[in-house]
Amino acid sequence: MKKYTLALLLAVAMFAGGCQQTDTTPCTATPVTTKAPASEVATLKQYIDANKITATADDRGFYYTIQSPGTGSKPTICSNVTVNYVGKLTNGSTFDQGNGVSFGLSQLILGWQEGIPLIASGGSITLYLPPSLAYGSAATNGIPANSILVFTIDLTSIN
């Protein structure tokens, strides 16, 4: 009798496990269309020029340099991504970094939402973000208000 009870419990557990509800809700996030104000873009361009940085200007107001484009498909606003990154202030000091960190792209700052989809898995990009596409006018976690931020990001995978 114990064999049948154990077998029945295992069968119920396997059936219940196979029937667990997964989140199949379609992503309703919309791509970012926010543009940085002209004054922020001008200040960022001064930084880029003064430091002789070779970077591409994006119409939304940030600059970027792709070190490696990666291969395969690129993430969308609905993607979950795993990255290695370093965040720096324009004075060169590091305010944040992480390795093997996963995020829902729609949960990140606007500059990441706009910049990370420029590369595919295995790619690497440096983003130069004006305040309105980063943390804006609020000081947070050692980042002064209205800071231009520089992120070096390796997109290790799209999950």
Side-chain angles (χ1 to χ4, degrees):
M1 183 75 166
K2 286 186 179 182
K3 284 185 181 179
Y4 294 113
T5 304
L6 181 58
L8 181 60
L9 286 174
L10 286 173
V12 169
M14 287 183 355
F15 177 77
C19 292
Q20 287 179 335
Q21 180 108 10
T22 59
D23 186 7
T24 57
T25 306
C27 176
T28 58
T30 56
V32 178
T33 57
T34 302
K35 292 186 179 188
S39 60
E40 288 184 9
V41 176
T43 302
L44 178 55
K45 183 168 178 10
Q46 287 174 348
Y47 169 78
I48 296 288
D49 292 345
N51 290 281
K52 297 178 175 52
I53 297 169
T54 302
T56 302
D58 186 273
D59 291 341
R60 294 164 286 192
F62 66 96
Y63 283 76
Y64 64 93
T65 303
I66 296 176
Q67 288 81 27
S68 171
T71 57
S73 61
K74 295 178 179 178
T76 69
I77 190 69
C78 295
S79 297
N80 182 285
V81 297
T82 300
V83 298
N84 300 328
Y85 71 95
V86 176
K88 294 185 177 188
L89 301 173
T90 55
N91 66 9
S93 64
T94 299
F95 63 84
D96 194 16
Q97 59 187 352
N99 288 314
V101 183
S102 295
F103 302 102
L105 199 52
S106 66
Q107 301 168 337
L108 302 176
I109 60 174
L110 294 175
W112 279 41
Q113 291 178 29
E114 295 173 334
I116 291 177
L118 296 173
I119 58 174
S121 187
S124 181
I125 191 168
T126 301
L127 300 175
Y128 303 90
L129 304 179
S132 62
L133 300 180
Y135 294 102
S137 60
T140 181
N141 298 328
I143 303 168
N146 298 309
S147 291
I148 291 172
L149 302 181
V150 179
F151 288 97
T152 302
I153 304 166
D154 298 325
L155 178 58
T156 60
S157 65
I158 303 168
N159 308 322

